[in-house]
Amino acid sequence: MIARKPLGRSTILFMVLLVIGSFFGTYTLITLIFENRTPNSLKEGVSVIDPVIEMPQTVKKTEHGKMLFHIALTATDAAYSKWQCRIMYYWYKKQKDLPGSDMGKFTRILHSGKSDNLVNEIPTYVVDPLPTGLDRGYIVLNRPWAFVQWLEQATIEEEYILMAEPDHIFLRPLPNLGYGELPAAFPFFYIKPAENEKILRKFFPVEKGPVTNIDPIGNSPVIIRKDLLEKIAPTWMNVSLRMKDNPESDKTFGWVLEMYAYAVASALHGVQHILRKDFMLQPPWDLETGKRFILHYTYGCDYNMKGELTYGKIGEWRFDKRSYLQGPPPKNLPLPPPGVPESVGTLVKMVNEATANIPNWES
């Protein structure tokens, strides 16, 4: 089923400003600087430990009912995106109603501007892409713009939102890891605000505090209260465009530019995140699934038949999502050889289970 509403006045105005901004080469479309806000939980004395590193002890002990979150991911209508979305949705349905889950409804935010052949299989909301040429080949810039439109136009019942990606697999039921004004996020080792202070000061002024106020995160996976994301999303959009327009930040941040933009936008709004390393794992670097919640298969997994990693070189055995740019992987992929980490084997087994059970998989 597909849902879409006409663009609101504010969205239309925002779009017009985007086009004007692209002409003049500047993207100061929305006020970036907001009053730095301290989370209410900290004002009330919850300060046992730094909440950006770990959830405060008082919060951990708080008994509360289910705090459902809406799962939202942005996607294109390309075959490469479609098959990943289908696998993700399969595992969402498997985990959603199991004990320990706070998983609510699911939406694939399709930023192609038109529906596709998955709208009757996966709950989908169609939004517009950026104006032609504005992303300059960096299609990920459509992600913040897609969220801006969806948040303004759609009816979202849950109070919280999980921002996810097509190449995420739910390993187990996911509880709400956030709390109030403290969203939960996964810390990425390659997002290093302190090492890029000179560049980031162009977008995060000194009066907003030290660059360590910028969390080492991207927008996904993040569980965040809906009203906070509604404030952050337009700023995230704006900062993404400004970073892409700046040659230094564009060159330095490359494919993770939009991730830095979300981190900066959150900090501009005074929002800090609980950093959860157990939120996600990324084979082949993370060797075991352990008690983690999401498996992110962004990296290629290449091994010889002795089970030795041959990263950077195509292995005798491999699984790499980029091998299937034009269409879905076949059913019943061969399992990795002995000696390959458990996380890689789990990935292939879960892909195989999904493809065996999704109707019309290779059609």
Side-chain angles (χ1 to χ4, degrees), residues 34-156:
F34 289 77
E35 289 298 320
N36 200 346
R37 296 178 299 127
T38 301
N40 290 334
S41 56
L42 298 187
K43 292 177 182 176
E44 295 168 2
V46 181
S47 56
V48 179
I49 53 177
D50 184 352
V52 181
I53 303 302
E54 191 175 348
M55 184 176 287
Q57 295 293 340
T58 336
V59 171
K60 289 180 181 178
K61 297 175 183 177
T62 300
E63 293 294 332
H64 55 73
K66 291 176 74 67
M67 296 189 297
L68 297 181
F69 54 85
H70 194 108
I71 294 87
L73 70 153
T74 58
T76 73
D77 58 1
Y80 178 64
S81 177
K82 286 179 179 179
W83 68 258
Q84 293 176 55
C85 289
R86 298 182 80 191
I87 290 174
M88 187 201 181
Y89 187 58
Y90 171 85
W91 284 104
Y92 155 79
K93 291 188 294 182
K94 288 269 291 189
Q95 308 292 359
K96 176 182 180 294
D97 296 321
L98 295 180
S101 168
D102 286 327
M103 302 163 78
K105 294 182 178 180
F106 185 105
T107 299
R108 179 182 65 134
I109 309 173
L110 182 62
H111 53 76
S112 62
K114 61 183 185 299
S115 61
D116 63 8
N117 64 339
L118 291 185
V119 297
N120 294 321
E121 177 180 335
I122 303 174
T124 298
Y125 196 97
V126 177
V127 296
D128 292 317
L130 287 168
T132 303
L134 195 57
D135 64 12
R136 279 162 288 178
Y138 182 54
I139 196 170
V140 185
L141 281 183
N142 283 281
R143 182 176 294 159
W145 173 227
F147 270 105
V148 167
Q149 295 174 81
W150 178 66
L151 289 164
E152 179 180 305
Q153 300 166 20
T155 299
I156 306 163

Side-chain angles (χ1 to χ4, degrees), residues 203-241:
F203 314 99
F204 188 75
V206 175
E207 56 266 28
K208 297 303 290 184
V211 291
T212 51
N213 285 352
I214 302 172
D215 294 329
I217 62 172
N219 84 290
S220 175
V222 167
I223 298 177
I224 185 170
R225 212 170 63 192
K226 180 172 59 178
D227 63 311
L228 293 180
L229 185 56
E230 288 172 340
K231 296 174 182 177
I232 292 170
T235 310
W236 172 28
M237 173 76 211
N238 190 9
V239 175
S240 296
L241 289 170

Side-chain angles (χ1 to χ4, degrees), residues 71-74 81 83-92 106 143 162-171 174 186 188 190 218-222 259 279-282 293-298 321 347 350-351:
I71 294 87
L73 70 153
T74 58
S81 177
W83 68 258
Q84 293 176 55
C85 289
R86 298 182 80 191
I87 290 174
M88 187 201 181
Y89 187 58
Y90 171 85
W91 284 104
Y92 155 79
F106 185 105
R143 182 176 294 159
L162 164 65
M163 292 187 285
E165 296 182 13
D167 59 353
H168 286 177
I169 291 177
F170 293 107
L171 291 166
L174 179 60
F186 176 79
F188 289 91
Y190 50 78
N219 84 290
S220 175
V222 167
M259 297 173 69
F279 208 156
M280 189 170 76
L281 76 149
Q282 302 184 100
F293 295 102
I294 292 173
L295 190 155
H296 183 207
Y297 55 98
T298 189
K321 65 178 185 177
L347 164 60
M350 295 185 82
V351 168

